[in-house]
């Protein structure tokens, strides 16, 4: 398949396609973060970087079979006060994703965003996508089913997706040292990681703090250990927090009709 990944990040989508056993003929990645691009090219040097989503000419990408992406959530997430929703400068990039679907008309698409958005924003996204693909469905999946992390996200596709089975992965299963009685990690985030990763309540350490190691963060997102090596620890934490939970995406791809 030929894939166009918008807001590609560190190409978690490429890794998910690989895990789902789907061959990739070409993988076009639209990304502007130089560190994300560095991680992608280290792991998948054949990735075709196409640059800023706001400057793409989709008429040059008409060979694409599938468009995937997680459009920015900053203006949709409950974490932001006075959020502007789809009118915001960041989350408004959703309309560039829509433009890609309208022009390319790929056979398949996958869109991801936060489950903490307002219902009216979720419904507006669904209605917009249904105008292009009437068979569009929206499903909320919690990454906790396939990882040690609580992470609720909406996924829109034009094929039917069931909930994945619970793999029973607990936080203690991915720790590289120490113990914890907590079953799952909080959602890891790209910003404010001191509150997200440096939390004594995650561990059985009542009188001291410990950060998650980089390997633990990678495992929380179902990434291979070492996937983000090559950039600074602070950049890697940011990139992992912005990424997809790989096994959720792999599950969604595995539900594609077998044609």
């Amino acid at each position: 398949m030929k894939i166009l990944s918008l807001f590609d990040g560190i190409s978690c989508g490429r890794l998910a396609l690989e895990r789902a056993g789907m061959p990739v003929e070409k993988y076009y990645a639209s990304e502007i973060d130089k560190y994300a691009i560095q991680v992608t090219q280290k792991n998948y040097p054949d990735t075709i970087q196409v640059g800023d989503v706001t400057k793409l000419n989709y008429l040059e990408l008409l060979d694409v079979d599938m468009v995937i992406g997680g459009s920015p959530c900053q203006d949709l997430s409950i974490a932001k006060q006075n959020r502007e929703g789809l009118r915001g400068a960041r989350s408004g990039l959703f309309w560039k994703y829509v433009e890609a679907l309208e022009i390319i008309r790929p056979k398949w698409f996958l869109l991801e965003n936060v489950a903490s958005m307002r219902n009216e924003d979720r419904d507006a996204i669904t209605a917009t996508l249904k105008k292009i693909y009437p068979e569009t469905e929206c499903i909320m999946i919690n990454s906790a089913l396939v990882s040690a992390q609580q992470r609720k996200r909406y996924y829109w596709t034009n094929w039917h997706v069931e909930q994945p089975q619970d793999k029973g992965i607990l936080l203690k299963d991915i720790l590289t040292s120490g113990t914890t009685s907590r079953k799952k990690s909080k959602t890891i985030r790209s910003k404010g990681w001191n509150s997200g990763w440096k939390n004594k309540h995650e561990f059985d350490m009542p009188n001291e703090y410990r950060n998650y190691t980089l390997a633990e963060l990678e495992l929380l997102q179902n990434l291979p250990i070492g996937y983000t090596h090559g950039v600074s620890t602070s950049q890697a934490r940011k990139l992992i927090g912005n990424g997809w939970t790989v096994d959720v995406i792999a599950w969604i791809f595995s539900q594609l009709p077998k044609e």
Side-chain angles (χ1 to χ4, degrees):
M1 294 184 73
K2 297 174 184 177
I3 311 296
L4 171 61
S5 176
L6 303 179
F7 328 104
D8 182 65
I10 54 176
S11 292
C12 294
R14 179 76 181 268
L15 181 56
L17 287 161
E18 188 177 276
R19 288 195 185 165
M22 298 178 62
V24 175
E25 183 180 348
K26 288 182 180 179
Y27 190 91
Y28 300 102
S30 175
E31 180 53 58
I32 59 173
D33 186 302
K34 66 179 182 179
Y35 300 107
I37 294 171
Q38 182 179 333
V39 169
T40 288
Q41 298 303 131
K42 176 190 74 115
N43 290 285
Y44 296 104
D46 63 338
T47 300
I48 304 168
Q49 295 288 341
V50 295
D52 190 336
V53 69
T54 66
K55 300 176 182 177
L56 291 185
N57 180 357
Y58 293 124
L59 293 174
E60 298 176 350
L61 296 163
L62 296 178
D63 62 335
V64 164
D65 301 302
M66 180 188 290
V67 173
I68 64 176
S71 53
C73 67
Q74 286 88 341
D75 301 305
L76 293 167
S77 173
I78 197 172
K80 181 176 180 180
Q81 293 184 342
N82 302 317
R83 46 188 169 166
E84 298 177 84
L86 296 175
R87 299 182 303 277
R90 296 296 304 277
S91 296
L93 291 173
F94 161 73
W95 300 108
K96 298 301 295 184
Y97 183 95
V98 171
E99 182 183 338
L101 297 187
E102 289 176 331
I103 295 175
I104 299 171
R105 294 282 172 158
K107 187 168 187 179
W108 310 110
F109 78 85
L110 165 65
L111 176 69
E112 175 265 3
N113 216 304
V114 292
S116 63
M117 69 175 67
R118 293 172 294 205
N119 289 344
E120 52 262 42
D121 287 323
R122 178 201 61 205
D123 295 343
I125 291 173
T126 302
T128 299
L129 296 174
K130 277 183 174 291
K131 290 178 181 178
I132 312 170
Y133 293 90
E135 65 274 29
T136 294
E137 295 185 9
C138 176
I139 185 172
M140 192 282 287
I141 299 177
N142 190 341
S143 296
L145 292 172
V146 298
S147 75
Q149 175 193 187
Q150 298 283 356
R151 192 183 188 91
K152 295 179 179 179
R153 294 291 186 269
Y154 286 131
Y155 301 92
W156 290 264
T157 62
N158 62 328
W159 68 93
H160 182 65
V161 177
E162 300 282 351
Q163 289 286 335
Q165 290 188 337
D166 190 342
K167 292 185 177 181
I169 302 172
L170 302 178
L171 181 55
K172 66 181 180 64
D173 299 326
I174 63 94
L175 295 183
T176 55
S177 66
T179 61
T180 181
S181 56
R182 190 181 185 92
K183 291 186 177 181
K184 298 284 184 178
S185 169
K186 299 174 184 176
T187 300
I188 58 173
R189 305 180 188 279
S190 61
K191 294 182 179 179
W193 65 268
N194 279 347
S195 61
W197 287 286
K198 191 176 181 182
N199 191 318
K200 64 183 178 183
H201 301 298
E202 300 283 317
F203 308 97
D204 293 337
M205 305 168 63
N207 299 313
E208 59 181 304
Y209 290 90
R210 171 165 97 69
N211 292 336
Y212 282 138
T213 66
L214 201 53
E216 289 166 346
L217 292 177
E218 289 172 330
L219 291 174
L220 285 170
Q221 287 284 56
N222 303 139
L223 292 164
I225 292 178
Y227 189 85
T228 59
H229 284 185
V231 299
S232 69
T233 299
S234 61
Q235 287 296 332
R237 286 184 173 127
K238 172 185 172 183
L239 297 173
I240 294 168
N242 275 332
W244 281 345
T245 306
V246 176
D247 286 354
V248 172
I249 309 302
W251 167 257
I252 291 171
F253 287 150
S254 74
Q255 302 294 288
L256 270 166
K258 302 295 187 284
E259 299 178 354

